[in-house]
Amino acid sequence: MAPWSSSSRGRRVCCCVLIGLGVLVLGAAVTAGIRRWLQPSGHKQWEGAGTTAHISEIFLGRCFTYTQIIHPELRDKNCQKIWNAFKNSFISKDTCNITEEDYQPLIKLTTQTLPCNQTLFWSKTNVLVHRYTKAQKELFTLEDTLLGYMADDLIWCGSSGNSEMNYQSCPSRMENCSNSPVFVFWKTVSKKFAEAACGVVHVMLNGSISRAFVRNSIFGSIEVMNLHQERVHSLRAWVMHDIGGDFSDSCSGSSINDLRSIMREKNIPFTCQDDYKPVRYIQCVSHPEHSSCP
Ligand code: N1C
């Protein structure tokens, strides 16, 4: 056999081996990419925690507790129907494109009359505000309404073309997915809650962080903007400071001035009080020895 033909066969074998290797490497890379993108369940992989385990049992249990025990006047609400409407608002839908409209059937099924002078908003005071509303029943937050009560602290999401919830992961707030089911839910129900507010309304803010009021919070961007001047007589803010914590902002700080000027523009009288006593007493329960406690 001519020497050139043996060397060309060698080259051909070499080429085939290289191409084969290339195909293998490419195949492995594509498979790994798809695996990273899709979870075994067929959902996309997000950075945040997945749908709360046993969400249907928790949601339904809370619905029955609220409508049968806490507010028996709502005993005719159909919890199974409410759960189905909740699920249908995000199941099989693009998880970054959920809209206010998606939640309208759920909102219709959960309408509730909210008495005037009893609305309490909050921002960055989630734990304290609910310790307070548990201790006195005059004021209530969104979590004290049926919708807020059922959804409080839950996580949920799905994917388009998939009829299951994604229990592995859901979009976190850091990801480029601001119209996620959880975020759109809170924006939608907070808007409704603010639109319904009437008489004297309250807000509990946190004076131990750098700015007690920020315009891009749900309180600052949704609730304040949806207060109706003809229904709301005044807004009373309480700026609370953690016991032993920083006194970094207060009623005389610039962030509260910002809120004051928004309320002036809306023509709604505004007052502000640092460390409102009844809430201070709640804080004192865990710090009875502190000098600021009675
Ligand atoms: O962005 P925020 O506070 O100012 O939102 C709080 C404000 C309250 O007055 C509530 O009426 O908006 C309403 N609200 C809730 O009730 C609620 N429960 C749980 C808004 N968000 C709520 N969450 C979750 O906390 C939700 O995931 C949302 O993104 C955070 C906002 O809390 P925040 O920044 O302290």
Side-chain angles (χ1 to χ4, degrees):
M1 197 131 338
W4 61 265
S5 77
S6 113
S7 92
S8 101
R9 196 188 311 140
R11 259 199 312 252
R12 242 182 287 146
V13 168
C14 203
C15 263
C16 285
V17 169
L18 277 179
I19 290 171
L21 271 177
V23 168
L24 272 179
V25 169
L26 196 72
V30 169
T31 317
I34 291 175
R35 266 213 202 115
R36 255 167 58 111
W37 185 252
L38 286 179
Q39 298 173 339
S41 53
H43 291 289
K44 189 176 165 184
Q45 174 107 45
W46 299 100
E47 282 167 22
T51 300
T52 309
H54 309 293
I55 189 167
S56 61
E57 291 85 351
I58 298 172
F59 191 99
L60 274 167
R62 286 180 177 178
C63 181
F64 284 116
T65 304
Y66 193 93
T67 57
Q68 303 300 313
I69 298 169
I70 306 177
H71 287 280
E73 71 276 13
L74 297 180
R75 74 175 75 80
D76 293 336
K77 296 272 184 211
N78 183 333
C79 288
Q80 191 59 53
K81 242 177 141 177
I82 292 174
W83 164 248
N84 290 339
F86 173 73
K87 237 176 26 180
N88 289 336
S89 50
F90 65 98
I91 281 296
S92 300
K93 296 186 185 173
D94 175 356
T95 220
C96 292
N97 270 316
I98 301 298
T99 62
E100 265 188 42
E101 287 65 44
D102 288 323
Y103 282 111
Q104 291 315 311
L106 171 69
I107 286 176
K108 270 209 185 118
L109 287 175
T110 50
T111 46
Q112 193 175 358
T113 322
L114 305 172
C116 286
N117 305 311
Q118 296 191 346
T119 298
L120 173 56
F121 300 113
W122 55 269
S123 193
K124 311 289 184 276
T125 51
N126 195 344
V127 173
L128 182 59
V129 79
H130 294 114
R131 283 173 71 193
Y132 177 66
T133 58
K134 269 211 184 81
Q136 63 78 54
K137 306 286 178 195
E138 286 306 296
L139 297 182
F140 57 84
T141 66
L142 183 51
E143 289 70 22
D144 301 311
T145 69
L146 174 58
L147 260 184
Y149 183 86
M150 293 186 298
D152 196 19
D153 284 336
L154 298 181
I155 298 171
W156 61 93
C157 69
S159 310
S160 53
N162 193 324
S163 58
E164 298 297 315
M165 294 188 211
N166 185 350
Y167 288 99
Q168 275 76 44
S169 66
C170 286
S172 75
R173 295 197 78 175
M174 306 305 154
E175 284 170 283
N176 182 21
C177 179
S178 54
N179 290 325
S180 69
V182 175
F183 193 53
V184 172
F185 173 86
W186 288 115
K187 279 200 303 196
T188 307
V189 298
S190 300
K191 184 174 165 205
K192 285 263 157 215
F193 188 54
E195 282 171 346
C198 47
V200 180
V201 302
H202 295 82
V203 62
M204 190 190 294
L205 301 171
N206 188 342
S208 289
I209 55 175
S210 58
R211 291 182 74 74
F213 173 74
V214 283
R215 285 187 183 227
N216 68 4
S217 61
I218 293 186
F219 173 66
S221 61
I222 309 276
E223 292 176 330
V224 163
M225 299 308 160
N226 285 286
L227 292 176
H228 291 303
Q229 181 260 326
E230 62 284 4
R231 294 168 56 78
V232 175
H233 299 162
S234 65
L235 173 66
R236 286 186 192 159
W238 302 328
V239 178
M240 301 307 302
H241 300 92
D242 297 339
I243 291 186
D246 290 340
F247 199 94
S248 30
D249 203 0
S250 68
C251 287
S252 50
S254 67
S255 85
I256 297 296
N257 255 334
D258 191 25
L259 177 56
R260 189 173 284 118
S261 67
I262 295 174
M263 298 319 289
R264 196 177 300 125
E265 269 167 39
K266 290 183 75 76
N267 219 1
I268 297 177
F270 174 78
T271 60
C272 184
Q273 197 173 341
D274 282 308
D275 295 319
Y276 175 63
K277 271 263 177 60
V279 180
R280 190 66 174 177
Y281 293 149
I282 298 279
Q283 294 174 301
C284 285
V285 171
S286 357
H287 298 86
E289 313 302 340
H290 195 268
S291 54
S292 68
C293 293

